[in-house]
Amino acid sequence: MTAAHSYDALMDITPRPPIVFVRGEGNWLWDGSGKRYLDFVQGWAVNCLGHSPPAIAEALARQSRTLLTPSPAFYNAPSLELAQALVNSSCFDHAFFTNSGAEAIEGAIKLARKYGALHRDGAYEIITFDGAFHGRTLAAMSASGKKAFEPLFEPKVPGFPKAKLNDLDSVKALINRKTVAVMLEPVQGEAGVWPATDKFLQALRELTRQYGLLLIVDEIQTGIGRTGKLFHYQHADIAPDVMTLGKGIGGGVPLGVLLATTSASCFEYGDQGGTFNGNPLMCAAGLAVLQQIDQPDFLQQVVDNGAFFVDELERLSARHGLGEVRGRGLLLALDLERPIGPSIVAEALRDGLLLNAPRPETLRFMPALNVTQYEIAQMISQLDAILAKLGAEVTH
Ligand SMILES: *Cc1c(COP(=O)(O)O)cnc(C)c1O
């Protein structure tokens, strides 16, 4: 911080530590004083290849010298290539690029309502789930099932009745003539890493088919290799109708995607658009990310390192009398069984380690997908020491 800068010039929208990060490389971040931090947050599962990976830096540099944007009213090569690559690797047929996850969710909601207008006699309700997080636009907040959102920005956008995750009867009970879709995160990330079971995803697919409803998976956090498959829905061997991507697809730059099958892809001219949507610069970064991650060896390494990570967390939990380890691939949580998450996060920050506690009694881990076992072991040993210290403080 120099005298020329003040923290006050930014809107104060969240408590932030008085640290300014100036550089990142792989799993490491440096602040202005030269202090180094091991990063197991990675911008909330965003930097899937770590900080400033050469592949993205080169793609951005090359594309910025070639073409920044011709306007979304014209085709550009990177967006065509990225759309084709995503379609080839998934069960979807068409892509619409956005600038954030919430904007992709907004698009999914509009697409479902359009589908309802065209095919379901004006049905518009989208069943979502308690604990869900779908982003911070007004409709995305309304679709979310986050308690803290409930009193905010009333009146909400109507039409999002809430069911319970892994409880098919709670979904069935909400279906009526106005229902057009069911939308869920295959693993509820912000709620504290609560996975939908593969059986539940399969049952939802069957149920939505039976009633002619769209199944929308929000893979903004779980997609792009995070759970060990390119997309999480592939674990359950189902084919949803609509999917949203964000976070990892840009590898650190703002990029989201709305994907749909041919039968669900029903926007007409004038329904959807946006100035920066599908701009070549961000799509070039997305292509660089996908080329590295959509490889059997890369995804196998996520699975192997995830298993190693779970093992280490379970031993740590046993040593300190903590709770269960949840999640899949490299989206993991450790239940602390006590609201000590914020103290752990603060202590870790002092100790040069970035951790996240989405709930006071839960730690969530979302390292870069190319994190090494060595770095996982280093994080575990730092966390071990922090827990020992906090445990000692609690008992004495
Ligand atoms: C982060 C997230 C969003 C919102 O994405 P933004 O890019 O922050 O708008 C939506 N859904 C899920 C599951 C997320 O994890």
Side-chain angles (χ1 to χ4, degrees):
M1 266 263 300
T2 64
H5 300 92
S6 161
Y7 296 127
D8 294 342
L10 287 174
M11 279 195 196
D12 193 23
I13 51 110
T14 190
R16 282 180 274 222
I19 295 172
V20 180
F21 286 117
V22 294
R23 192 165 75 81
E25 190 184 324
N27 290 283
W28 299 90
L29 271 174
W30 284 262
D31 70 16
S33 76
K35 182 176 169 182
R36 189 170 86 138
Y37 300 76
L38 180 58
D39 187 0
F40 270 64
V41 178
Q42 289 286 358
W44 275 264
V46 162
N47 305 311
C48 52
L49 299 174
H51 288 284
S52 303
I56 294 184
E58 278 153 29
L60 287 172
R62 200 181 327 114
Q63 189 59 44
S64 70
R65 283 192 296 263
T66 312
L67 177 65
L68 282 176
T69 190
S71 128
F74 301 103
Y75 291 120
N76 72 72
S79 80
L80 289 168
E81 270 178 72
L82 182 55
Q84 190 63 56
L86 287 167
V87 162
N88 290 349
S89 304
S90 73
C91 64
F92 305 99
D93 304 301
H94 307 285
F96 174 77
F97 293 108
T98 65
N99 308 294
S100 70
E103 200 190 346
I105 289 290
E106 199 75 21
I109 293 166
K110 285 169 63 176
L111 192 66
R113 286 189 172 195
K114 180 78 188 193
Y115 187 88
L118 291 174
H119 305 299
R120 306 256 323 153
D121 197 23
Y124 63 91
E125 284 189 357
I126 301 174
I127 297 172
T128 59
F129 290 83
D130 286 339
F133 179 81
H134 296 296
R136 291 179 173 278
T137 63
L138 196 51
M141 285 180 90
S142 307
S144 296
K146 189 174 159 146
K147 278 270 170 290
F149 283 179
E150 272 172 25
L152 300 177
F153 312 123
E154 292 293 301
K156 292 283 192 317
V157 178
F160 299 101
K162 303 290 183 300
K164 288 189 171 47
L165 194 67
N166 293 325
D167 179 347
L168 198 69
D169 287 338
S170 76
V171 181
K172 273 188 201 157
L174 293 174
I175 296 176
N176 63 57
R177 275 184 24 255
K178 289 179 285 180
T179 312
V180 71
V182 176
M183 175 164 80
L184 82 165
E185 307 158 78
V187 179
Q188 288 191 344
E190 300 301 309
V193 186
W194 295 98
T197 63
D198 291 348
K199 255 182 74 184
F200 181 66
L201 289 170
Q202 287 154 3
L204 265 188
R205 178 65 287 188
E206 230 170 86
L207 184 74
T208 47
R209 280 241 165 84
Q210 186 188 334
Y211 283 90
L213 310 175
L214 298 177
L215 179 62
I216 305 171
V217 285
D218 177 354
E219 296 236 20
I220 290 168
Q221 193 158 145
T222 54
I224 310 299
R226 177 58 52 186
T227 69
K229 297 238 184 227
L230 188 59
F231 307 114
H232 188 290
Y233 74 78
Q234 295 166 335
H235 287 295
D237 207 12
I238 59 166
D241 303 296
V242 177
M243 174 169 74
T244 55
L245 295 175
K247 297 202 165 90
I249 181 65
V253 305
L255 178 65
V257 197
L258 169 65
L259 287 140
T261 60
T262 297
S263 58
S265 185
C266 57
F267 280 141
E268 296 173 301
Y269 292 164
D271 287 346
Q272 185 67 330
T275 302
F276 293 117
N277 296 43
N279 73 83
L281 191 65
M282 298 312 150
C283 289
L287 262 174
V289 167
L290 201 61
Q291 277 161 6
Q292 294 218 356
I293 290 185
D294 191 10
Q295 304 286 346
D297 289 356
F298 189 99
L299 293 169
Q300 187 56 45
Q301 184 192 294
V302 172
V303 171
D304 295 345
N305 288 346
F308 173 80
F309 201 162
V310 165
D311 243 37
E312 292 286 311
L313 283 174
E314 278 174 348
R315 270 191 281 162
L316 184 83
S317 176
R319 272 203 298 283
H320 295 276
L322 306 174
E324 74 164 348
V325 176
R326 286 190 301 273
R328 212 163 193 172
L330 288 169
L331 179 57
L332 297 172
L334 170 63
D335 236 327
L336 302 163
E337 306 217 304
R338 292 178 283 157
I340 54 172
S343 335
I344 293 174
V345 168
E347 189 59 36
L349 187 69
R350 280 192 285 277
D351 207 32
L353 171 63
L354 296 192
L355 292 178
N356 166 249
R359 293 283 176 276
E361 62 293 334
T362 309
L363 288 181
R364 174 176 47 168
F365 305 92
M366 38 201 161
L369 299 180
N370 53 9
V371 69
T372 63
Q373 295 193 0
Y374 175 81
E375 287 156 335
I376 293 170
Q378 173 159 355
M379 189 284 293
I380 292 281
S381 95
Q382 260 177 289
L383 182 54
D384 197 17
I386 292 163
L387 285 166
K389 186 175 167 196
L390 288 177
E393 276 169 16
V394 168
T395 45
H396 294 141

